[in-house]
Amino acid sequence: MASEGGKDVAMAFSVQSKRSDLRAYPVRPASMTYDDIPHLSAKIKPKQQKVELEMAIDTLNPNYCRSKGEQIALNVDGACADETSTYSSKLMDKQTFCSSQTTSNTSRYAAALYRQGELHLTPLHGILQLRPSFSYLDKADAKHREREAANEAGDSSQDEAEEDVKQITVRFSRPESEQARQRRVQSYEFLQKKHAEEPWVHLHYYGLRDSRSEHERQYLLCQGSSGVENTELVKSPSEYLMMLMPPSQEEEKDKPVAPSNVLSMAQLRTLPLADQIKILMKNVKVMPFANLMSLLGPSVDSVAVLRGIQKVAMLVQGNWVVKSDILYPKDSSSPHSGVPAEVLCRGRDFVMWKFTQSRWVVRKEVAAVTKLCTEDVKDFLEHMAVVRINKGWEFILPYDGEFIKKHPDVVQRQHMLWTGIQAKLEKVYNLVKEVMPKKPDGQSGPVGLVSGDQRVQVAKRQAQQNHALLERELQRRKEQLQASADEEEREAEDEEEPMDTSPGGGLHGGLANGLPAGRAAGGDSFNGHPPSGSAGNPVARELRAFVQATFQKQFVLTLSELKRLFNLHLASLPPGHMLFSGISDRMLQDTVLAAGCKQILVPFPPQTAASPDEQKVFALWESGDISDQHRQVLLEIFSKNYRVRRNMIQARLTQECGEDLSKQEVDKVLKDCCVSYGGMWYLKGTVQS
């Protein structure tokens, strides 16, 4: 038993009873008797529940090596003994024991005392294990290093009369932020320092036969005079055992988690269907739809799987390839080059798009276009292809024609998505659309080793064929331009002449505009394109709703960007939606103008690289908010200027609106309609980097 500032602290098993006293009993060495234990000092850190015991060693025991004890004392304290010496007798005559926690969950343990046929149990709230401390060896090493440093300093002082003057730099520490302070407080060094700063509380030891020790041991016995007073024991044996040994929750929490690339099908099927599809595609990378259905089980609805797979994968040659943003999240980067995820996704999308055009891809071509390092490009290709000697990289799975025939609506939606991705890649990588017709997959024969002369001959033949194809393509384009010009002239003539709507008149008799009268009156579409301007047409209403919602968010859009957004909107619609009937560019432009938008004739520079669709700029003229007038003035400025400086815009707004606009108001108008590049402001979608 030990005393802590007037409190009694019993020491045995590290028991904490219902009293607030901490109990911890030391292990008695086999060579010592209880009479020797008064030569024991103990101290404790209550907050950490850390105990340190110092026990005397019997130096007169025949098993004690006196020479070894003297050597250890000399190494630790040196030749001179003072108050700070660990061993004042110049002999290792004591041993220190430090405690450590054996387990964090002690609710399953109890201290038992059997007396007069009764078993008394006391719950344990902490168990400490005492182990020998060898801190004196660290002190000996420190002394040795100090002596060596002193010897080196003495030698150097004899060689140099005086030290050289050295320049020092004084730095002032910046004030510590709250986040930095929290990181410092949670660091390992800070916690170790706090633990070391906690003062030790020295304890006074009482022997085993002392009256105070006997008094403490009485608390291990039940104080009730009879078992009837203890209502907790009026339970069945199974209930009592459950109270005594509750099921451990720590074991379930400490259960090791499987690696992210290891899947348990039993655990996988407990997740929602969308998560199952995402996990499978993220691990497999490429998979046919039939294989995915077999992994998910026969009870899963194929329509739900089709809906879920399109959120995490893209269709390539009838097979599903996981999307790039699933493999490369937003804030990640390349482990090889450190390139951000956005650039990696763009490069991988280019590889996937190339495989939609052909079964073969050349790695050097991909690296030349994407400007990515070899390791990144190789990772892209290994996700979905296998290398073939002298041929390149071939798509890893065969073409799945069965899925293509069975799900034409999904194929059409994926084609629209790939069209949008292709337009984005052509703009980012400055790709030139190929005019050569591609050979169907599977027509190319096996490639063997060929000589240099054969390669030259093959290249000449290909150049001749390409020249002939280019000539035919040029002639075909001239004919198309001539035909479109003739058609525009005919349309202009038709618009000038009034249309004959008398029944039975004309060549067609029962036709109106070349269609049966019933179909023309009903407003049905012709060649899949609904007639523009038909307000009662549900397709026109649906299209107008999309246009209005889009321009309420964007305010300014080019025709190219609007078509891309429309294709993405179509891809999100369910199969069989009315907008899949086909929407022409002419109808889309008419709907934009009918929705309250105006076309801004931006004066592009003569040598602009913008396509015709990118030069058609539309803007929402009135949205119903207080910034309409400011936006209209801004749009009039850009109808006469391709790019404008901010001070000119602010001066014109102040002049037209008759008031000094705040910086926030000008920033809002510019954010709605413009982008800044190189110190100049452009309308959205018109800047050519």
Side-chain angles (χ1 to χ4, degrees):
M1 174 176 169
S3 175
E4 174 195 348
K7 293 183 180 180
D8 295 336
V9 180
M11 311 178 81
F13 302 81
S14 280
V15 178
Q16 182 171 352
S17 67
K18 294 183 179 178
R19 297 178 59 185
S20 61
D21 306 327
L22 182 68
R23 292 155 169 71
Y25 292 78
V27 178
R28 181 178 52 145
S31 62
M32 296 180 64
T33 65
Y34 282 110
D35 295 333
D36 299 323
I37 293 185
H39 298 285
L40 174 146
S41 65
K43 52 186 179 180
I44 183 175
K45 289 187 176 182
K47 292 183 180 180
Q48 304 176 38
Q49 293 189 2
K50 185 176 181 181
V51 178
E52 187 174 290
L53 302 180
E54 190 176 275
M55 293 186 180
I57 298 178
D58 185 8
T59 58
L60 301 178
N61 192 293
N63 296 324
Y64 181 80
C65 181
R66 191 174 185 86
S67 62
K68 191 66 176 178
E70 293 176 352
Q71 182 64 41
I72 293 176
L74 179 63
N75 293 338
V76 173
D77 299 327
C80 299
D82 53 16
E83 296 180 354
T84 61
S85 300
T86 304
Y87 304 110
S88 57
S89 63
K90 297 185 179 181
L91 190 68
M92 183 179 177
D93 55 358
K94 56 187 176 181
Q95 174 67 54
T96 304
F97 293 86
C98 289
S99 65
S100 61
Q101 287 191 355
T102 57
T103 178
S104 59
N105 182 14
T106 59
S107 61
R108 300 166 60 89
Y109 299 92
L113 184 62
Y114 187 78
R115 179 172 293 185
Q116 297 178 358
E118 296 178 348
L119 182 64
H120 299 260
L121 299 177
T122 302
L124 301 183
H125 295 275
I127 301 177
L128 300 179
Q129 181 181 13
L130 293 174
R131 295 181 178 178
S133 173
F134 300 99
S135 58
Y136 60 89
L137 297 179
D138 299 333
K139 189 175 180 181
D141 292 340
K143 289 277 187 180
H144 179 68
R145 287 193 294 269
E146 290 177 1
R147 287 194 293 268
E148 288 185 348
N151 294 334
E152 292 179 359
D155 296 340
S156 60
S157 61
Q158 295 177 2
D159 298 337
E160 299 179 3
E162 59 182 19
E163 296 182 355
D164 296 335
V165 179
K166 296 182 180 179
Q167 182 180 0
I168 60 173
T169 303
V170 180
R171 295 183 180 179
F172 297 93
S173 61
R174 291 180 292 182
E176 187 179 28
S177 63
E178 182 63 23
Q179 293 181 350
R181 190 189 69 81
Q182 292 180 359
R183 287 196 299 268
R184 181 176 59 81
V185 169
Q186 296 174 359
S187 65
Y188 176 77
E189 291 80 6
F190 183 83
L191 294 177
Q192 290 294 103
K193 183 179 178 182
K194 292 291 290 184
H195 289 171
E197 289 176 353
E198 183 181 358
W200 286 100
V201 178
H202 291 272
L203 306 178
H204 181 72
Y205 176 79
Y206 295 93
L208 179 67
R209 297 180 179 85
D210 192 276
S211 59
R212 297 194 184 189
S213 298
E214 182 63 29
H215 178 73
E216 281 294 323
R217 283 197 293 273
Q218 294 300 319
Y219 286 103
L220 298 177
L221 300 176
C222 181
Q223 302 300 321
S225 59
S226 63
V228 180
E229 297 179 2
N230 195 345
T231 57
E232 293 185 359
L233 297 180
V234 186
K235 296 181 182 295
S236 64
S238 60
E239 291 176 341
Y240 175 69
L241 288 176
M242 183 63 67
M243 292 174 57
L244 185 63
M245 297 283 292
S248 175
Q249 299 179 356
E250 186 180 18
E251 295 179 359
E252 299 179 359
K253 294 180 181 179
D254 295 343
K255 188 175 182 180
V257 181
S260 58
N261 60 342
V262 177
L263 290 177
S264 169
M265 295 304 297
Q267 295 179 354
L268 181 68
R269 289 176 179 173
T270 61
L271 301 176
L273 180 60
D275 294 339
Q276 294 185 43
I277 297 173
K278 182 177 180 180
I279 292 174
L280 285 173
M281 291 305 304
K282 188 175 181 179
N283 283 270
V284 181
K285 309 292 190 303
V286 185
M287 191 187 307
F289 185 73
N291 290 14
L292 179 61
M293 289 299 300
S294 64
L295 290 173
L296 294 176
S299 60
V300 180
D301 183 18
S302 61
V303 177
V305 177
L306 273 176
R307 191 180 300 113
I309 189 66
Q310 296 181 67
K311 297 179 182 179
V312 298
M314 298 290 293
L315 191 65
V316 178
Q317 300 188 22
N319 301 282
W320 291 99
V321 182
V322 64
K323 288 184 177 180
S324 301
D325 55 0
I326 301 295
L327 296 179
Y328 304 107
K330 184 176 180 181
D331 297 329
S332 63
S333 60
S334 168
H336 305 295
S337 59
V339 173
E342 181 182 0
V343 180
L344 293 176
C345 291
R346 195 161 55 220
R348 189 174 180 274
D349 287 344
F350 176 74
V351 175
M352 293 169 63
W353 172 74
K354 290 291 290 182
F355 277 120
T356 63
Q357 310 296 310
S358 173
R359 285 197 61 82
W360 299 93
V361 168
V362 180
R363 180 180 57 81
K364 292 184 178 180
E365 177 187 351
V366 175
V369 173
T370 60
K371 303 296 189 296
L372 293 173
C373 68
T374 304
E375 290 79 6
D376 289 333
V377 175
K378 189 175 180 181
D379 284 348
F380 300 158
L381 293 171
E382 288 177 345
H383 289 168
M384 63 193 82
V386 291
V387 64
R388 307 292 187 193
I389 299 177
N390 297 327
K391 298 178 73 173
W393 291 79
E394 183 184 12
F395 192 69
I396 194 169
L397 295 178
Y399 183 82
D400 192 352
E402 182 179 354
F403 179 85
I404 299 294
K405 295 177 182 178
K406 192 175 181 180
H407 304 281
D409 52 340
V410 177
V411 175
Q412 182 183 5
R413 192 178 302 113
Q414 289 290 312
H415 176 69
M416 292 178 180
L417 287 175
W418 277 120
T419 303
I421 294 175
Q422 178 181 354
K424 185 177 180 180
L425 293 174
E426 288 175 352
K427 187 174 182 180
V428 172
Y429 293 132
N430 296 323
L431 302 179
V432 179
K433 294 184 179 180
E434 298 181 2
V435 298
M436 292 176 55
K438 298 185 185 307
K439 294 183 179 181
D441 296 337
Q443 289 186 3
S444 59
V447 178
L449 295 175
V450 294
S451 63
D453 294 338
Q454 290 176 337
R455 290 180 182 272
V456 172
Q457 295 298 328
V458 171
K460 288 182 178 180
R461 286 197 299 269
Q462 289 181 351
Q464 294 174 358
Q465 293 175 0
N466 293 346
H467 180 72
L469 289 172
L470 290 172
E471 289 288 342
R472 289 197 295 270
E473 179 66 19
L474 179 61
Q475 185 64 27
R476 184 179 64 81
R477 288 193 175 185
K478 288 182 179 179
E479 293 175 356
Q480 287 180 352
L481 291 175
Q482 184 63 33
S484 61
D486 296 342
E487 184 177 355
E488 290 178 358
E489 292 179 1
R490 288 196 299 271
E491 289 179 357
E493 294 174 357
D494 293 340
E495 291 177 357
E496 293 175 0
E497 297 179 1
M499 183 181 298
D500 184 10
T501 59
S502 59
L507 178 63
H508 299 289
L511 299 178
N513 293 341
L515 293 175
R519 287 185 58 188
D524 291 344
S525 62
F526 177 67
N527 286 339
H529 301 290
S532 60
S534 54
N537 193 307
V539 178
R541 288 199 303 269
E542 189 75 18
L543 181 60
R544 181 163 181 166
F546 161 76
V547 170
Q548 290 176 341
T550 303
F551 274 92
Q552 284 291 340
K553 298 177 182 178
Q554 303 285 348
F555 290 104
V556 176
L557 287 171
T558 63
L559 180 60
S560 175
E561 180 65 12
L562 181 61
K563 288 163 64 176
R564 187 185 71 82
L565 295 175
F566 183 65
N567 285 333
L568 293 176
H569 177 65
L570 288 179
S572 65
L573 296 176
H577 195 273
M578 62 180 68
L579 287 182
F580 282 107
S581 57
I583 304 297
S584 64
D585 293 354
R586 177 75 175 273
M587 182 179 180
L588 188 60
Q589 295 180 62
D590 292 345
T591 305
V592 170
L593 297 176
C597 301
K598 288 189 178 182
Q599 183 174 359
I600 310 301
L601 301 178
V602 179
F604 282 83
Q607 298 181 351
T608 180
S611 64
D613 286 349
E614 292 175 340
Q615 296 185 31
K616 293 181 180 180
V617 184
F618 297 92
L620 182 62
W621 196 251
E622 293 182 356
S623 64
D625 59 8
I626 60 176
S627 301
D628 281 346
Q629 182 183 2
H630 304 157
R631 279 193 293 268
Q632 292 171 7
V633 173
L634 182 66
L635 294 174
E636 290 178 357
I637 295 175
F638 280 101
S639 64
K640 299 178 182 178
N641 302 274
Y642 173 62
R643 56 183 182 179
V644 188
R645 293 190 179 276
R646 181 190 174 95
N647 55 3
M648 176 181 175
I649 295 174
Q650 190 155 4
R652 182 70 179 276
L653 286 173
T654 303
Q655 178 184 355
E656 295 292 336
C657 299
E659 57 183 0
D660 291 336
L661 299 180
S662 63
K663 182 178 182 298
Q664 290 77 9
E665 292 175 329
V666 176
D667 289 342
K668 181 182 183 304
V669 176
L670 292 175
K671 182 180 178 182
D672 290 342
C673 304
C674 304
V675 293
S676 176
Y677 183 78
M680 305 294 289
W681 288 88
Y682 303 78
L683 274 185
K684 287 183 178 180
T686 62
V687 61
Q688 303 294 319
S689 58

